[in-house]
Amino acid sequence: METQENPLIGVIGGVGPYAGLDFFKNILDNTVASRDQEHISAILLSCPVLIQDRTEFILGNAPENPAFAMFECAKRLHVVGVKYASIPCNTAHSGVIFTPFIDMVHENLPGLVIVNMLETCVSHIKQNLPGIKRIGYLASKGTYNSRVYHEYFKAGDGFSLIEPEEQEREQIHEAIYSKDFGIKAHSSPVHDKAQRILHHEVSKLLDRGAEAVILGCTELPLAINPADFYAPVIDPGKITARKLINLVAPQKLRRD
């Protein structure tokens, strides 16, 4: 399947399932192609039953580090010849999960490059939005508790992160996880209540002085349309999908 001209790219999905599908859709949407054969060879591997919830692990409610199941998925992609892959999950990039995962990949899967979603997001902002330093972000409780965004958006680089208050974090978390109206339970279509909560929280961060807002959970782009806001609302998944395209077929990358 893989050729020198068109290396295989892969997506470790299932974290969550619709977020992985949205990421894969971003690959298709950002590829210049007028017929089937002009699209890039890519594989979405969605194994949600294998991978523990990342937030539950960080909060101490799940015993097994998701890194091990993520590595098992990476092994499957490696076997079929994937050269570049990514994980569309912000919480999975926290050090306690991502570091052991990437160590296992480096030691056991030669030739497989994992494109770091948060690292790619930082680079994108530095290159394309260099004047933006005050950044708000919406995320799950696991992402907030792990402080993973602080690892990448460093104060030493001039960044200042604006986070919702504790009560607002709970509402954002419910908009993602609630079985009654959360995105994970109601992904297609997203429940109106979840959309209202998240739209309101983006607006609040902008009102508090955020120059841009990052959708720091890969479920959030399912519910939020960046065009609804006057300031940049950034989807790290879309940016990373474009990075994968650029790595394997830069001539096919659609202008953003």
Side-chain angles (χ1 to χ4, degrees):
M1 188 182 297
E2 178 219 348
T3 67
Q4 186 175 0
E5 293 76 20
N6 190 12
L8 260 175
I9 59 178
V11 181
I12 298 175
V15 283
Y18 269 91
L21 186 61
D22 186 59
F23 187 95
F24 197 87
K25 183 176 181 293
N26 271 317
I27 294 173
L28 299 178
D29 289 346
N30 287 277
T31 300
V32 175
S34 58
R35 60 193 183 111
D36 295 348
Q37 292 73 24
E38 292 175 358
H39 275 281
I40 294 168
S41 298
I43 293 177
L44 167 61
L45 180 63
S46 185
C47 298
V49 70
L50 297 180
I51 306 175
Q52 292 275 0
D53 188 274
R54 286 65 57 207
T55 289
E56 289 297 296
F57 173 72
I58 287 173
L59 296 179
N61 300 324
E64 182 178 330
N65 193 326
F68 297 106
M70 286 159 47
F71 173 66
E72 289 302 314
C73 292
K75 281 169 61 177
R76 298 180 187 188
L77 293 178
H78 185 256
V79 165
V80 297
V82 167
K83 297 301 183 186
Y84 298 96
S86 192
I87 306 162
C89 174
N90 288 261
T91 316
H93 287 74
S94 62
V96 68
I97 299 173
F98 196 76
T99 298
F101 165 71
I102 207 70
D103 286 346
M104 287 186 282
V105 170
H106 287 162
E107 292 171 9
N108 298 282
L109 306 179
L112 176 61
V113 175
I114 302 295
V115 176
N116 184 312
M117 189 168 67
L118 269 65
E119 193 175 86
T120 302
C121 185
V122 173
S123 296
H124 170 83
I125 291 173
K126 286 180 176 179
Q127 292 171 13
N128 298 284
L129 301 167
I132 288 179
K133 297 298 181 183
R134 290 175 55 80
I135 298 175
Y137 71 106
L138 301 188
S140 67
K141 286 195 290 188
T143 298
Y144 286 124
N145 284 22
S146 72
R147 292 180 64 81
V148 61
Y149 267 81
H150 292 267
E151 296 175 22
Y152 289 93
F153 289 86
K154 297 180 175 62
D157 291 334
F159 290 113
S160 174
L161 290 175
I162 302 174
E163 299 178 347
E165 302 294 338
E166 188 62 38
Q167 183 177 356
E168 294 166 340
R169 293 187 195 183
E170 290 291 337
Q171 292 177 346
I172 295 165
H173 192 80
E174 282 295 291
I176 300 168
Y177 277 91
S178 170
K179 292 182 179 179
D180 295 325
F181 62 87
I183 304 172
K184 285 186 178 292
H186 305 274
S187 301
S188 181
V190 174
H191 198 286
D192 288 347
K193 184 174 181 178
Q195 289 182 322
R196 288 195 303 270
I197 290 171
L198 295 169
H199 192 284
H200 185 57
E201 294 302 331
V202 171
S203 297
K204 277 187 177 181
L205 290 173
L206 294 174
D207 289 344
R208 288 175 54 195
E211 299 164 326
V213 174
I214 295 174
L215 304 180
C217 171
T218 44
E219 264 85 19
L220 298 182
L222 299 172
I224 295 176
N225 181 3
D228 290 342
F229 303 92
Y230 62 84
V233 175
I234 299 167
D235 176 3
K238 178 181 176 181
I239 293 167
T240 306
R242 288 177 59 82
K243 173 69 176 290
L244 286 170
I245 297 166
N246 195 49
L247 283 169
V248 301
Q251 75 282 4
K252 290 182 176 291
L253 181 61
R254 189 179 299 277
R255 289 187 178 182
D256 197 8

